[in-house]
């Protein structure tokens, strides 16, 4: 295989910085922290920096919403967000995240308002912060934000937080939930992935993933999912190894707390779960990898372009084919955050095969988003 070897050294972790001093370290939330058995964060911007205890509070709450015997979903009576408004602001495309947040909010009794970005005043040049502060001024309780720029959710959270000033008759700041910002984080995806692995390996009682090994395969350098997965899975005790060509999985990715490998066939038989990432062609030329504030550069963009041109070689070395999946351990699962490039990073027979947990992931996404909305909005207090 000839592609994807970086010629620059050292390779640094690609651009993931958001706003200096905000967001990533503390999960980026106003009101950070957790009380015993409780949750005090009012926003969820990332998973990096969240404690295992905080993650477990969310996961246990989601478990109550999965429809099992202890489900609190069943009766109409359970609608903790009745009378609340959740706004969805998707400046970047989505199917799963957008709809599952809407389903989650409505199952909790909230009303959902969706900003149709394509026909909004964004087209007249309105900034994301002006858009967000105006939506907040309408009195919504939560804002779910997706944007192509890393750090967008942090910026929105700061903006609505800064403008909330009861003394000046401005309403309280709404909850902000990051639904995916550039290459930075996708926290609810990280949570639903952790949930899916816990379910597959009978860890739902504790959400302790110690002893489990998880491979994240493919376009890690472009992936906000990988960052949130690594943060959540390692905090919960799992070992994570990122696998792919050096241009997509540079050695510095290890600074996130995972191992790095370049031989999928050597790694696959030893893992309990594999998360296959979509090759994100659309991010390979977005310039984020070169942003100096992200410490990026290192040729990521150019290498990625070559990678895009080498899809066939990628598939040969790193695509999850039926033959490769057959060499996995009994009980090991195959995951993908979607959308899948079938026949590239994962074959259709694997995506739809017996090891696939892909639709389990999607289903868990609703319960996770219910937990996040309920707990973050609840942490704002009854008067907010
Ligand atoms: N996993 C995920 O974020 O999918 P969507 O882009 O469809 O929301």
């Amino acid at each position: 295989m000839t592609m994807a070897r970086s010629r620059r050294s050292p390779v640094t972790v690609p651009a993931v910085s958001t706003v200096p001093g905000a967001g990533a370290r503390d999960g980026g939330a106003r009101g950070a922290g957790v009380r015993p058995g409780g949750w005090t964060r009012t926003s969820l911007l990332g998973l990096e920096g969240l404690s295992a205890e905080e993650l477990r509070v969310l996961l246990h709450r989601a478990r109550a919403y999965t429809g099992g015997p202890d489900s609190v979903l069943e009766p109409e009576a359970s609608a903790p967000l009745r009378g609340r408004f959740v706004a969805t602001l998707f400046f970047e495309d989505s199917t799963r995240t957008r709809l599952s947040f809407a389903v989650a909010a409505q199952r909790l009794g909230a009303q959902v308002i969706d900003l149709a970005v394509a026909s909004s005043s964004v087209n007249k040049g309105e900034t994301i912060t002006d858009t967000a502060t105006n939506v907040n001024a309408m009195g919504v309780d939560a804002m779910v934000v997706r944007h192509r720029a890393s750090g967008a959710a942090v910026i929105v959270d700061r903006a609505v937080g800064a403008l909330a000033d009861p003394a000046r008759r401005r309403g309280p700041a709404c909850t902000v939930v990051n639904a995916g910002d550039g290459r930075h984080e996708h926290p609810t995806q990280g949570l639903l992935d952790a949930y899916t692995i816990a379910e597959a390996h009978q860890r739902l009682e504790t959400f302790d993933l110690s002893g489990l090994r998880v491979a994240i395969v493919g376009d890690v350098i472009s992936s906000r999912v990988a960052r949130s997965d690594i943060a959540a899975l390692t905090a919960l005790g799992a070992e994570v190894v990122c696998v792919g060509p050096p241009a997509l999985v540079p050695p510095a990715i290890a600074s996130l707390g995972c191992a790095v490998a370049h031989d999928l066939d050597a790694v696959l038989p030893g893992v309990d779960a594999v998360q296959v990432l979509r090759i994100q062609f659309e991010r390979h030329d977005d310039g984020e990898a070169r942003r100096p504030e992200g410490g990026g550069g290192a040729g990521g963009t150019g290498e990625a372009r070559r990678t895009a041109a080498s899809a066939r070689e990628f598939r040969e070395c790193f695509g999850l084919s039926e033959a490769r999946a057959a060499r996995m351990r009994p009980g090991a699962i195959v995951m993908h955050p979607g959308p899948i490039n079938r026949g590239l990073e994962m074959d259709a027979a694997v995506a739809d095969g017996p090891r696939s947990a892909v639709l389990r992931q999607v289903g868990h996404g609703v319960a996770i988003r219910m937990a996040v909305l309920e707990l973050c909005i609840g942490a704002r207090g009854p008067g907010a």
Side-chain angles (χ1 to χ4, degrees):
M1 181 167 168
T2 55
M3 67 169 198
R5 190 164 287 280
S6 175
R7 284 172 293 189
R8 297 186 207 174
S9 165
V11 177
T12 51
V13 176
V16 292
S17 70
T18 54
V19 176
R25 286 281 156 215
D26 64 355
R30 286 176 271 114
V34 62
R35 290 188 295 263
W39 172 267
T40 61
R41 293 182 188 263
T42 55
S43 291
L44 183 66
L45 309 179
L47 299 183
E48 189 188 353
L50 264 69
S51 67
E53 184 189 6
E54 287 176 290
L55 294 167
R56 289 185 179 119
V57 169
L58 287 167
L59 293 164
H60 280 296
R61 191 63 191 150
R63 190 182 178 206
Y65 284 127
T66 53
D70 55 351
S71 172
V72 294
L73 248 192
E74 323 243 326
E76 261 280 307
S78 179
L81 297 187
R82 181 168 289 138
R84 304 284 197 157
F85 284 87
V86 174
T88 51
L89 282 62
F90 278 65
F91 299 91
E92 190 187 69
D93 296 344
S94 170
T95 296
R96 282 148 289 270
T97 312
R98 184 181 205 143
L99 289 186
S100 62
F101 264 112
V103 171
Q106 291 184 41
R107 290 186 93 162
L108 292 168
Q111 294 192 53
V112 178
I113 51 172
D114 181 57
L115 178 71
V117 170
S119 57
S120 74
S121 292
V122 170
N123 289 336
K124 302 172 193 164
E126 187 165 45
T127 65
I128 183 172
T129 51
D130 277 341
T131 302
T133 53
N134 277 267
V135 174
N136 183 61
M138 294 171 200
V140 302
D141 298 281
M143 203 178 285
V144 179
V145 181
R146 169 170 288 193
H147 199 282
R148 70 188 298 272
S150 300
V154 175
I155 289 168
V156 164
D157 189 60
R158 276 190 169 185
V160 299
L163 285 183
D165 182 357
R168 295 160 73 186
R169 294 196 202 167
R170 287 173 173 154
C174 68
T175 284
V176 176
V177 181
N178 182 4
D181 60 332
R183 301 163 188 245
H184 172 226
E185 280 233 34
H186 191 348
T188 53
Q189 180 74 43
L191 289 164
L192 74 88
D193 291 334
Y195 193 103
T196 303
I197 292 168
E199 180 195 55
H201 294 285
Q202 295 81 47
R203 307 289 177 98
L204 289 179
E205 295 295 329
T206 59
F207 291 104
D208 179 354
L209 304 184
S210 303
L212 297 179
R213 192 167 161 81
V214 181
I216 301 176
V217 178
D219 194 357
V220 175
I221 201 166
S222 305
S223 178
R224 56 198 177 207
V225 172
R227 287 169 200 285
S228 292
D229 280 353
I230 293 167
L233 298 175
T234 56
L236 295 170
E239 253 184 82
V240 177
V241 55
C242 290
V243 190
L248 300 185
V249 187
I253 288 286
S255 68
L256 299 174
C258 58
V260 165
H262 306 299
D263 182 350
L264 180 61
D265 291 310
V267 168
L268 218 45
V271 298
D272 302 287
V274 58
Q275 167 89 311
V276 180
L277 300 173
R278 181 173 68 88
I279 302 283
Q280 299 191 51
F281 295 108
E282 75 276 16
R283 287 197 213 286
H284 290 174
D285 286 318
D286 69 5
E288 279 215 356
R290 289 176 300 206
R291 287 192 337 183
E293 68 270 32
T301 301
E303 294 293 348
R305 211 181 284 121
R306 280 187 284 285
T307 300
S310 307
R312 189 183 54 77
E313 284 178 271
F314 178 88
R315 176 182 145 74
E316 210 168 294
C317 295
F318 298 101
L320 192 56
S321 62
E322 232 181 333
R324 282 200 170 107
R327 292 198 288 272
M328 292 174 69
R329 285 177 179 164
I333 58 167
V334 168
M335 309 196 299
H336 193 299
I340 301 172
N341 292 312
R342 286 172 182 251
L344 177 51
E345 69 261 1
M346 184 188 278
D347 283 2
V350 178
D352 304 328
R355 291 187 186 277
S356 177
V358 170
L359 296 180
R360 299 292 299 160
Q361 290 172 272
V362 176
H364 295 148
V366 173
I368 289 292
R369 286 159 185 141
M370 290 174 77
V372 168
L373 288 173
E374 182 191 9
L375 293 178
C376 288
I377 292 173
R380 296 166 68 234

